[in-house]
Every structure is written in C-alpha cells, then in structure tokens.
Amino acid sequence: MFYFSQQLGLDLEELEEIEEDAGLGNGGLGRLAACFLDSMATLGLGAYGYGIRYEFGIFNQKVVDGWQVEEADDWLRYGNPWEKARPEYMLPVHFYGRVDHTPDGIKWVDTQFFEGKELRLKQEYFVVAATLQDIIRRFKSSKFGCRDPVRTCFETFPDKVAIQLNDTHPALSIPELMRIFVDVEHMDWDKAWDITKRTCAYTNHTVLPEALERWPVSMFEKLLPRHLEIIYAINQKHLDHVAALYPGDIDRLRRMSVIEEGDCKRINMAHLCVIGSHAINGVARIHSEIVKNSVFKDFYDIEPEKFQNKTNGITPRRWLLLCNPGLSDIIAEKIGEDFLTDLSQLKKLLDFVDDEAFIRDVAKVKQENKQKFSAYLVEQYKVKINPSSMFDVHVKRIHEYKRQLLNCLHIITLYNRIRKDPKKSYVPRTVMIGGKAAPGYHMAKMIIKLITSIGDVVNNDPYIGERLKVIFLENYRVSLAEKVIPAADLSEQISTAGTEASGTGNMKFMLNGALTIGTMDGANVEMAEEAGEENLFIFGMRVEDVEAMDKKGYNAKEYYDRIPELRQAIDQINSGFFSPDDPGRFRDIVNMLMYHDRFKVFADYEAYIKCQGQVDQLYMNPREWTKKVIKNIACSGKFSSDRTITEYAREIWGVEPSAVKIPPPNIPRE
C-alpha cells in the first residue's frame, strides 16, 4: 500500500487523514465494541458485531463564540470502501399492528415499516429483529453434523450461539427470541425460556439511574404489542418465583418487577436483561461490586452465581502500535514484538526503570509527540502553545458526573495564584479539555461555554504569559484521540467515586505514557493496584465516603464558606469576571454547584488542588517523572481487550480462544 501510494505521488499519512471517522456512538461504548472485535479476530473467535449502520454519525461539533453548535456528520457522502451491501439477505422488520390469538397459534398482524416519533425504540427493535433473523438463518444453515438439509431442532442453540447484550439497548433480544421460538417455531414456553436464558448474557455499563432505560408501556402497546404480551408473561412468572421465595414481601415484588407502576407505567429494560440472561457483568471490579450490592441487589440475593466482573480493555494494536509508533519501537527494542498480542509482557520493562538510556528514549518520544501535536494545534486552531509545558488533558463526553467543572476550578485557582504572585516560579501548563455535550443537555453546553470563556480570559492576560493556557479541543473523536493521547503528560480521570463504570480513556493514557490524576473510581482502582498507588495521583472521596456523605447530607456552602480560594473562584464565575458581556451567564452553574450538585464537586476541591500541587512537584524532576511513566506503561498489560475477551469467552460464552494463525488466502491450506 505504501509503495503503491508513493508511486502515485501520494502521502500515506495524508490519505489516512482524509478518511472519515466512523461515528461509533456517543462515548466509549461503541469504541469498546470495536476493541472487542479486534481482540476476537486476534484470538481466533468466530464472532459478529451487529449494529445499525447509520447514514449520519454522532454530530460534528463546531465551537462558535464559545458555544457548541451541532452539524450533521455526513460520513457516507463519498461512500465507504470497507463495506459490502448484501441485499440477498434483506428481511422485513415489523412494527405496530395487533396480535391475533388463533387456533393455529399467535400471530402479529397488520404491521408496517417504520415511520413516526418513537425513533429510538424503533432503532433498538430494528437492530434486534434484523440480528436475530440473521443469527437464526446462520444456525439453520450450519448443520453441525446433522443430516437434515435445514436445522429445525433448537436444543443445541445455546451451545452454538452466545448473544452478549452490550448495555440495555438490545434488551428486546429477550422477548424477540421468545416470540420467534414460541410464535414462529411453535416451541413450548418453558423450553423457549430455558434456551433464551442460556443464550443471552448482559453487560451493564452504567449505574446512573437516568441512564437506565425505562420505556412507557403505552409506546409498546402501539409499537410492539406482541412483545408487550411476552414481557408481561415473563414478568408474571418471575414475580411468582420471587413471591414463593419471599412470601408477603410486596415491596420486594415492586422493586424487582419489570413493570414500574406510577403516573406512567414503564418497562425497566435492565430488569428484563437480568431476568432473561444467564450471566450479568459490570465492566470494572468496583462497578461490578456496586451492581451486586446496590443497583441489582435484590436479583443478586436470589441468583448470586449469575453475577461476574469483566474489566474493560483496549486494543494495543490501535492504541499503541498505530497511534504511537515511536513508543512501540523503543518498547520492541527492549522486549521484542510479542507484547502486541500478549500485553502482559510489558512487565519486562520494569527491568529498565533505572536504565538511563531508556529513560532518555521514553522522554524523547513523549517530547516528539508533544511537538507534533503542537504543530497540529497551530494548523487546525491557529493556537500556539509551549511544547515544553505540561500537557494536562481531560477528554471525554461533557457530563456533570465527569466533573469538568472541578478541572475549571483548578484552572481558575492556578490563574488567581499567578496573578497574586507573578514573580514566583510556576510549572507551565497547557490544559486541554475536549468532548461533546448531548444536544439537549443544557448544563453540559453551559460547561463548554464556561471552559472557553475561562480560556479567553487566561490566554489573553499578559500577567500569565506562557505559564498557563486553556484549550478547548473541538470535535473530540477517535482520530483526534489518536493524536492527543500520545502527547499527554497528565490524564484527568476525576469522576465522583462510584459514578464511572470503568472508563477506557484512562487505560489509553496509561499505555501511552501519561500519568493519571484521578479518583478511586472505575478502572482507576485497578490501574492503581497494578502500578502501585504511589505511581498515580489519587485523591478525593472513596465510594464509602460518598455513601456516608449521602446519608449525612452534602452541604456545598460549608466548603464555600471555609475555603477562600474556592470562594474566590465561584464568586468570579458568578459575578461575570469570565463573562463581562453577560454577568449573569453562569449563574445556573453556580446555583447547581451551591445547591443541587449530585456529584459533590466542592467536597473534592481541596484534595484535588493539593494533588495537583504534587503533580507540579514531580514534573519539575523530569527523570523521576519519566521513571513513573515507565512503571505505568509496564503495568498496563492487564488493560488489553485481549485479556477481557479471553475472560468473556471462557467464563460466559463457553469457548476457548485460539492462537492458531489462519493462513492468508494466497497460501493453500493443508
């Protein structure tokens, strides 16, 4: 390919830049699935990733006068060379209609193809219906040694098919599989339920109540009437079982029901997933404990053997070899190339923590990546930054729980300290924050405007000079992540303990030689365990501290009254210091932080500021900083998606990974 492009007078890097990103969803979920596919291919597992091929991806983010503006992501306008349409497998997907109970069985009739307002639910059923039709077509045509021309017996279905529900979005797989088995294949209900349960497994990706899907029953009545009947039947049998175990415990029945009563009756999709799956897992050890002990505690009490943990991972092929070839090369020089398919081999780098030449090489690669990213920022944003400053990077979806506001308070505090004592020596920092806000999420959009407004003040203050810069990275996406992550010195992972299920950006930064400042949340806990807590900058409340504070009551005002630097920062935001054209612009943010902050920003402020001081201290000693970087890289092997997928394969799907290489098509097989 490289030789071919050179012949044509083309530059491979330029060609790569032209290719559109595939918008893989909102945040980390779709990117995780892509890592899993990479690992399943590497491990020789016969697997398919099913999803909707959207005509438009997640929006492109433009920042206009500091505000997020959404533009359509027309990623397919020039076609897509990596896909092949298969119209010969086109099948109908039904919506609306009514259910007829006839002597010949139950029929869902008078259906139509999708139009109307219930777009999200339609999308979810669409992907499920299309996927299951394809799975069953494959099962029937693969005879597995059976003499029948077409497979009609489903006894072996769970032995041959494993369906992993990636969050609740494909939860309709459970009633849809039951509909196919009972209505189409005329199977006995109990047999169908047994096969469905043994086939499906559920991965939970969030503990935030507002993110757990709950669909109005009225929408199902109109859109998916047969599925509603099936869900009611599933729920009735489930509640009968619970009632037999806990006679008279009406409150438990209410808590565990798939149907939530209230002003608007709703279907709890997470409960449906738990009931209809043989395995349930969280995506980091601390998250899986929360899943067992709080979110699904009632279900765990009844069937503890169903609950597992599968800590997320990332593919080292994309997130090291492809995006950071300089670092890959110097690692391979020391330990060989096998680490790319066995990331645990990075442990061998611990032998070189005190190797002066390797310390120098690691620092040099980081500096080269910073220079390259600085040049990119000049070209793309016309922003000039100091490549020898600390690159402090906070990139992820904009959300209150991810606490970009805590980062903002640190920036303002640093700014005020430099203004107060400009003669003092400061470690120069370039703080980069990036991420998209959901189009309807007012507070997240206000947070972006606050970040850009702080940047306008800080970056144009002559007293500050090169010592502090604030950059909002526009349109954060995979291709931008591949550039900024290898250039980062400090990785911000500062969610309130107990809110980030895992995170995968944290792993990418660790593997690429950034040090983490973070709370004991998600996979940060296991990162600290692998590398040693002393090699990360861990601060703030633990999960039990947050729970204790919830019991006692969180009073933001007591922190505001007690901590002068915090009070000064909040007063500046509130008074219009960062919005002189509209002094009241950020009052909503201040009001939230002071009176209804679910994520307790002020409670961690002091510890965060102190910890950032320790970051500065270490950064002033480049050799010691780089030694910690090497320790982090060496201890990041656990966070390969190859390890994650091996665990799914062995402990949930009942298959064994294989290292056997399949020969390329031009070499005849024996």
Side-chain angles (χ1 to χ4, degrees):
M1 171 67 183
F2 181 61
Y3 174 67
F4 178 65
S5 65
Q6 274 190 326
Q7 275 188 320
L8 295 174
L10 299 170
D11 176 74
L12 187 60
E13 276 199 26
E14 264 183 62
L15 276 177
E16 287 175 340
E17 286 300 314
I18 291 165
E19 186 174 356
E20 299 276 351
D21 282 52
L24 299 171
N26 275 320
L29 198 69
R31 182 56 251 171
L32 179 75
C35 285
F36 282 0
L37 283 171
D38 176 299
S39 288
M40 287 187 279
T42 302
L43 294 165
L45 295 170
Y48 290 84
Y50 287 97
I52 299 176
R53 182 273 215 171
Y54 287 101
E55 190 171 352
F56 293 93
I58 186 170
F59 62 86
N60 280 319
Q61 180 193 57
K62 289 271 186 289
V63 176
V64 179
D65 189 30
W67 296 96
Q68 170 176 299
V69 174
E70 299 90 18
E71 285 184 357
D73 170 24
D74 191 8
W75 73 293
L76 291 170
R77 65 189 174 282
Y78 302 122
N80 178 4
W82 309 118
E83 70 181 10
K84 181 178 182 351
R86 301 296 290 270
E88 66 270 31
Y89 294 125
M90 193 156 63
L91 291 158
V93 173
H94 301 287
F95 290 103
Y96 302 104
R98 66 178 199 283
V99 180
D100 279 355
H101 292 254
T102 72
D104 299 325
I106 299 162
K107 295 192 170 26
W108 180 22
V109 296
D110 292 345
T111 55
Q112 64 182 69
F113 214 52
F114 51 83
E115 277 177 86
K117 295 174 186 168
E118 306 92 348
L119 183 59
R120 177 68 182 179
L121 185 57
K122 283 175 173 171
Q123 287 171 335
E124 292 188 1
Y125 179 62
F126 172 74
V127 75
V128 159
T131 295
L132 290 184
Q133 287 185 85
D134 194 55
I135 287 172
I136 285 166
R137 175 183 66 78
R138 289 177 192 281
F139 176 77
K140 284 184 169 182
S141 63
S142 304
K143 295 186 287 296
F144 309 118
C146 172
R147 289 168 189 265
D148 302 337
V150 173
R151 190 87 170 167
T152 52
C153 171
F154 285 89
E155 292 290 329
T156 61
F157 193 76
D159 304 324
K160 303 298 179 185
V161 176
I163 297 172
Q164 193 70 36
L165 305 174
N166 195 28
D167 217 345
T168 55
H169 315 129
L172 284 165
S173 299
I174 293 163
E176 174 69 358
L177 208 46
M178 287 297 288
R179 185 187 71 80
I180 293 167
F181 287 157
V182 173
D183 296 1
V184 181
E185 302 294 338
H186 305 295
M187 199 185 290
D188 163 74
W189 176 279
D190 290 340
K191 185 79 213 158
W193 183 240
D194 176 63
I195 292 173
T196 297
K197 262 182 88 163
R198 288 195 292 129
T199 301
C200 295
Y202 163 53
T203 301
N204 173 273
H205 288 275
T206 182
V207 296
L208 296 183
E210 65 269 31
L212 293 171
E213 292 185 297
R214 293 170 166 88
W215 290 105
V217 165
S218 57
M219 199 183 282
F220 264 75
E221 278 172 332
K222 185 172 142 198
L223 194 71
L224 299 166
R226 178 57 182 145
H227 296 77
L228 182 61
E229 288 185 348
I230 291 168
I231 289 167
Y232 272 134
I234 290 169
N235 192 42
Q236 190 56 58
K237 284 181 181 289
H238 158 64
L239 292 180
D240 289 347
H241 175 60
V242 176
L245 291 171
Y246 299 93
D249 193 342
I250 304 301
D251 195 49
R252 184 178 293 265
L253 290 176
R254 182 188 55 74
R255 292 197 309 267
M256 294 184 75
S257 178
V258 176
I259 310 297
E260 293 182 350
E261 303 293 339
D263 296 342
C264 168
K265 270 171 81 167
R266 291 179 181 273
I267 299 169
N268 184 314
M269 302 305 270
H271 286 188
L272 181 62
C273 287
V274 172
I275 292 161
S277 298
H278 71 277
I280 297 109
N281 70 280
V283 289
R285 194 175 62 233
I286 189 173
H287 168 233
S288 295
E289 289 303 307
I290 292 167
V291 162
K292 291 192 302 193
N293 299 332
S294 66
V295 187
F296 299 130
K297 183 183 186 304
D298 292 323
F299 297 89
Y300 178 70
D301 288 346
I302 291 174
E303 296 181 290
E305 70 286 349
K306 278 175 42 166
F307 288 79
Q308 303 188 13
N309 173 55
K310 297 284 168 280
T311 300
N312 281 343
I314 55 168
T315 166
R317 273 75 63 183
R318 178 172 294 268
W319 294 110
L320 182 56
L321 183 65
L322 183 139
C323 71
N324 202 343
L327 184 56
S328 299
D329 286 348
I330 63 167
I331 292 171
E333 278 171 29
K334 288 293 184 203
I335 66 169
E337 292 183 356
D338 289 351
F339 69 93
L340 287 166
T341 49
D342 177 12
L343 206 60
S344 66
Q345 291 196 22
L346 289 178
K347 274 270 192 286
K348 294 177 183 173
L349 292 175
L350 290 172
D351 294 342
F352 303 101
V353 167
D354 295 306
D355 180 314
E356 295 303 330
F358 190 60
I359 293 170
R360 222 170 25 250
D361 286 345
V362 170
K364 182 167 175 277
V365 166
K366 179 62 73 178
Q367 200 49 45
E368 284 167 357
N369 291 338
K370 289 172 72 173
Q371 296 278 8
K372 194 172 176 184
F373 192 63
S374 300
Y376 171 83
L377 287 178
V378 168
E379 181 199 323
Q380 292 294 314
Y381 301 107
K382 309 291 178 272
V383 172
K384 195 169 184 316
I385 57 170
N386 174 7
S388 62
S389 63
M390 183 200 302
F391 282 17
D392 173 347
V393 183
H394 195 178
V395 283
K396 48 188 78 247
R397 284 306 295 263
I398 308 294
H399 198 294
E400 287 162 80
Y401 91 84
K402 292 178 185 284
R403 298 203 296 192
Q404 284 90 357
L405 287 171
L406 184 57
N407 196 340
C408 287
L409 292 175
H410 174 243
I411 296 166
I412 295 170
T413 302
L414 270 185
Y415 171 78
N416 288 332
R417 285 179 180 180
I418 298 168
R419 287 288 314 236
K420 190 177 176 186
D421 193 357
K423 292 192 168 62
K424 200 176 152 197
S425 171
Y426 295 90
V427 174
R429 266 194 204 231
T430 302
V431 183
M432 305 180 203
I433 305 176
K436 293 175 181 178
Y441 189 175
H442 167 73
M443 187 57 68
K445 289 187 152 182
M446 290 305 303
I447 290 168
I448 291 174
K449 179 61 175 172
L450 178 62
I451 295 162
T452 56
S453 301
I454 292 168
D456 289 342
V457 171
V458 171
N459 300 345
N460 294 301
D461 189 323
Y463 281 93
I464 304 301
E466 292 282 284
R467 290 177 286 196
L468 182 60
K469 291 280 182 237
V470 182
I471 312 286
F472 186 81
L473 295 173
E474 188 174 281
N475 202 32
Y476 182 62
R477 60 203 185 281
V478 171
S479 57
L480 181 51
E482 289 169 352
K483 295 178 177 68
V484 68
I485 290 171
D489 292 306
L490 187 68
S491 159
E492 299 268 354
Q493 308 297 334
I494 59 176
S495 52
T496 312
T499 61
E500 187 71 89
S502 168
T504 48
N506 47 2
M507 302 168 187
K508 293 163 192 170
F509 282 106
M510 182 187 195
L511 182 59
N512 280 277
L515 298 186
T516 302
I517 183 165
T519 51
M520 277 298 202
D521 197 22
N524 297 355
V525 176
E526 289 159 80
M527 286 162 51
E529 189 176 278
E530 292 296 303
E533 205 174 312
E534 70 282 2
N535 292 308
L536 282 78
F537 298 99
I538 299 292
F539 72 93
M541 295 181 289
R542 309 307 208 242
V543 167
E544 49 275 22
D545 302 319
V546 174
E547 287 169 351
M549 188 171 282
D550 282 331
K551 282 197 179 76
K552 180 172 80 94
Y554 166 61
N555 180 1
K557 194 166 184 305
E558 73 185 45
Y559 298 95
Y560 172 86
D561 290 338
R562 182 172 60 75
I563 307 165
E565 286 188 311
L566 172 61
R567 185 165 62 248
Q568 182 186 6
I570 292 298
D571 289 350
Q572 285 169 311
I573 296 169
N574 200 37
S575 66
F577 182 86
F578 298 105
S579 55
D581 60 318
D582 179 4
R585 177 173 293 141
F586 299 120
R587 294 221 173 117
D588 279 359
I589 291 180
V590 172
N591 187 50
M592 181 275 290
L593 287 171
M594 291 292 289
Y595 303 110
H596 42 95
D597 175 13
R598 292 164 57 201
F599 304 107
K600 306 175 178 62
V601 170
F602 291 4
D604 273 341
Y605 169 84
E606 238 173 343
Y608 180 57
I609 299 296
K610 186 179 174 201
C611 195
Q612 287 282 18
Q614 292 162 1
V615 172
D616 280 344
Q617 285 302 115
L618 187 67
Y619 196 76
M620 287 193 279
N621 186 337
R623 184 173 176 276
E624 289 305 311
W625 178 279
T626 307
K627 282 174 70 170
K628 277 204 197 308
V629 164
I630 294 167
K631 284 178 191 167
N632 271 266
I633 296 168
C635 295
S636 61
K638 176 179 179 177
F639 305 105
S640 167
S641 48
D642 298 347
R643 186 266 318 149
T644 310
I645 285 298
T646 298
E647 290 179 9
Y648 274 99
R650 288 179 177 154
E651 296 163 28
I652 297 179
W653 306 331
V655 287
E656 191 59 30
S658 163
V660 176
K661 296 278 184 291
I662 297 169
N666 59 321
I667 296 174
R669 298 196 191 188
E670 290 175 7

